[in-house]
């Protein structure tokens, strides 16, 4: 036999590292306690809910966008959602454009002062994740909602701003006659996208 057959294949280890969070970056002891709790629940129960909550507890702030009361109300109005506990791994914020807030049970990491006031005034209830773990250890009768991730102002600038057909907001100093409004912006100067 030739030596080629006897040799093993060397494995390249340069792409082995999986880039995902396995713990939160934050050193917040209360968040870390929640992680301990949900790590246990994710391991010991076979519910997908706990695995999702755990994964979301690790996430950066960008990936845990705030959820407004308006979006909450909109989701609660759907059939069969009225008596469910809303779960949001993030912050719940107030929305002055909404006038009547229904009675609802909410579980979130944070609820802003005004939102908390309005939810409690409507006869609702706000619980923490450790209370949720006692009430619904497998996430039964819950409704998981996330805020809109793409609503960040920075998202408007992502992509190529000059390309025809793209609606990407350019980083201009200001908007006006003197600022980047010639070629590609006017028909008389070459083309208009």
């Amino acid at each position: 036999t030739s030596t080629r057959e006897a040799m093993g294949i060397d494995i390249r280890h340069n792409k082995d590292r999986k880039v995902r969070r396995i713990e939160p970056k934050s050193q917040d002891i209360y968040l870390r306690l929640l992680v301990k709790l949900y790590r246990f629940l994710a391991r010991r129960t076979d519910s997908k809910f706990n695995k999702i909550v755990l994964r979301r507890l690790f996430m950066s702030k960008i990936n845990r966008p705030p959820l407004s009361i308006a979006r909450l109300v909109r989701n609660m109005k759907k059939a069969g959602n009225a008596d469910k506990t809303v779960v949001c791994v993030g912050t719940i914020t107030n929305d002055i454009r909404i006038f009547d807030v229904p009675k609802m049970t909410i579980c979130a990491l944070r609820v802003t002062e005004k939102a908390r006031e309005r939810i409690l005034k409507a006869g609702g209830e706000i619980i923490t994740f450790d209370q949720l773990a006692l009430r619904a250890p497998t996430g039964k009768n819950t409704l998981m909602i996330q805020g809109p991730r793409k609503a960040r102002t920075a998202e408007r600038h992502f992509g190529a701003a000059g390309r025809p057909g793209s609606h990407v907001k350019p980083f201009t100093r200001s908007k006006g006659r003197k600022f980047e409004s010639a070629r590609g912006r006017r028909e008389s100067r070459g083309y208009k996208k």
Side-chain angles (χ1 to χ4, degrees):
T1 57
S2 68
T3 51
R4 175 58 60 96
E5 283 169 27
M7 284 164 66
I9 296 169
D10 195 10
I11 301 163
R12 290 167 68 208
H13 292 290
N14 63 342
K15 296 199 168 55
D16 279 359
R17 188 171 74 99
K18 280 197 173 77
V19 186
R20 70 206 187 308
R21 288 197 181 177
I22 49 172
E23 60 170 359
K25 270 237 172 102
S26 159
Q27 294 301 319
D28 180 5
I29 50 173
Y30 300 107
L31 180 67
R32 296 230 161 212
L33 280 170
L34 280 184
V35 166
K36 262 186 188 173
L37 168 65
Y38 274 90
R39 225 186 259 285
F40 172 79
L41 286 171
R43 192 181 75 241
R44 297 285 305 210
T45 63
D46 51 358
S47 84
K48 205 174 161 192
F49 173 83
N50 291 323
K51 288 183 175 62
I52 293 170
V53 170
L54 179 66
R55 196 176 67 234
R56 288 187 190 174
L57 285 171
F58 298 161
M59 284 182 181
S60 60
K61 202 171 176 187
I62 284 175
N63 291 323
R64 290 185 287 106
L67 179 69
S68 75
I69 279 191
R71 192 173 281 258
L72 267 182
V73 172
R74 199 161 69 225
N75 279 287
M76 292 306 275
K77 276 182 183 163
K78 288 177 185 165
N81 285 350
D83 53 346
K84 285 185 179 173
T85 306
V86 177
V87 179
C88 171
V89 187
T91 310
I92 287 176
T93 54
N94 186 28
D95 196 334
I96 50 171
R97 297 167 298 187
I98 234 82
F99 295 117
D100 45 338
V101 178
K103 182 182 176 182
M104 48 191 172
T105 310
I106 290 167
C107 173
L109 284 180
R110 254 183 85 236
V111 182
T112 60
E113 214 173 321
K114 283 274 183 275
R116 183 179 293 276
E117 200 178 289
R118 291 188 70 180
I119 292 160
L120 296 175
K121 195 178 176 186
E125 189 186 11
I126 298 167
I127 61 171
T128 51
F129 274 95
D130 51 316
Q131 289 169 307
L132 180 77
L134 291 170
R135 284 193 198 186
T138 56
K140 261 199 177 63
N141 207 19
T142 58
L143 178 68
M144 273 193 119
I145 313 181
Q146 280 180 303
R149 285 192 199 187
K150 299 279 184 197
R152 285 171 57 220
T153 328
E155 290 273 352
R156 295 174 197 171
H157 296 285
F158 292 168
R163 219 179 71 241
S166 79
H167 297 288
V168 178
K169 190 178 173 129
F171 286 108
T172 44
R173 212 178 357 150
S174 189
K175 199 171 177 177
R177 178 184 57 82
K178 297 188 275 191
F179 305 100
E180 303 182 23
S181 60
R183 185 172 171 276
R185 294 285 180 183
R186 260 188 296 178
E187 208 65 82
S188 61
R189 301 281 183 277
Y191 72 99
K192 186 180 191 309
K193 74 165 185 133

